[in-house]
Amino acid sequence: MSTNHSVHSASAPGKVILFGEHAVVYGQPAIAVPVAQVRATATVEMAPPGSGLAIIAPDLGKSVSLATAPQDEPLAAAARRTLTHLSASEPDATVTISSTIPIASGLGSGAAVSAALVRALAGFLGHTLEPAQVSALVFEVERIHHGTPSGIDNTVVAYEQPVYFVRGHPADRLSVGAPFALVIGDTGTRSPTRHVVERVRQAWEHSPARYDALFDGIGDIASEARRAIEVGDVDGLGLLMDDNHELLIELRVSSSKLDELVEAARFGGALGAKLSGAGRGGNVVALVEDDTVDDVTEALREAGAVRVICTRVTTTD
Ligand code: PMV
């Protein structure tokens, strides 16, 4: 394909895990959906000859140059892997990244930033990448962020579709029998995924039988949730979220703030609620009927949520 050095922009959504976090690292299924209300955007523009590739991310307080960035710098790593994938040399260009996705809070900020960057850089070089290619490149970068990522974040942001995900398997898109609404409330506590995943691994190594049983239980819930989503059983889905939250408490990845927000959402009328993502901080996600979105939003704010995002889950193709 020929190169096309005009300005190129691309974006990727945030995401929320509805079922199966942590257990997914151990081979159990999980379900995640895109959150289009928050996005990361990357714009690539030509720079004077000899300037090389610079990546500027004001929202992340970062500015890196490809020539000098360390190997484990995630933005540079995304650009390097894209150039290698396309067998392209480093262009003279500036990538500017902006994002409205809160970082380290379970909404997939890292994966979305990488996906936007990969797509925009490929576009600048005259290539359009398939979601599977974007997902694979972003996964490589996720390994720098997380150590042992399951692959769910890169998959859902690259496909921008609800996914039923099993580690090491191709993405499986979910069909949604009846659209439903989610209200996502942020504890305001940042919680790096890597640390929480490591703590769970240590606990699993210490008590493998107990933890394997918890992971199996979470996997069974995710499988049942898939059926509930496909047939449009929204009430059943809410109960499964409550059950999943109980098992996450047993995994010791919840916190008093997360539990308070979950309780507040249920009290406000949610059909079910749970923590989402790595836990210990970050967000809760509540399943709500359309006419209780405002009540649940208010209940989460009153309980101390620093940010509330509402989204709807539908099949988009
Ligand atoms: O905190 P997040 O949204 O990046 O989610 C992490 C999900 C885990 O299952 C805990 C880890 C993983 O790699 O899947």
Side-chain angles (χ1 to χ4, degrees), residues 20-28 30 148-151 165 167 197 201 215:
E21 48 274 271
H22 288 292
V24 68
V25 175
Y26 298 81
Q28 298 292 338
T148 55
S150 64
F165 177 83
R167 184 174 191 161
V197 169
R201 180 165 297 276
F215 296 145

Side-chain angles (χ1 to χ4, degrees), residues 244-275:
N244 195 161
H245 186 69
E246 288 308 309
L247 294 182
L248 288 164
I249 291 173
E250 289 194 47
L251 276 185
R252 300 186 201 286
V253 296
S254 195
S255 69
S256 50
K257 192 75 220 169
L258 285 164
D259 292 342
E260 272 167 40
L261 293 189
V262 163
E263 279 304 317
R266 291 177 189 152
F267 193 69
L271 297 173
K274 61 183 275 295
L275 72 83

Side-chain angles (χ1 to χ4, degrees), residues 15 17 20-25 105-108 142 146 148-153 191 193 197 276-279:
K15 72 99 217 318
I17 298 180
E21 48 274 271
H22 288 292
V24 68
V25 175
S105 66
L107 291 185
E142 288 289 284
H146 291 188
T148 55
S150 64
I152 191 166
D153 280 21
S191 173
T193 299
V197 169
S276 177

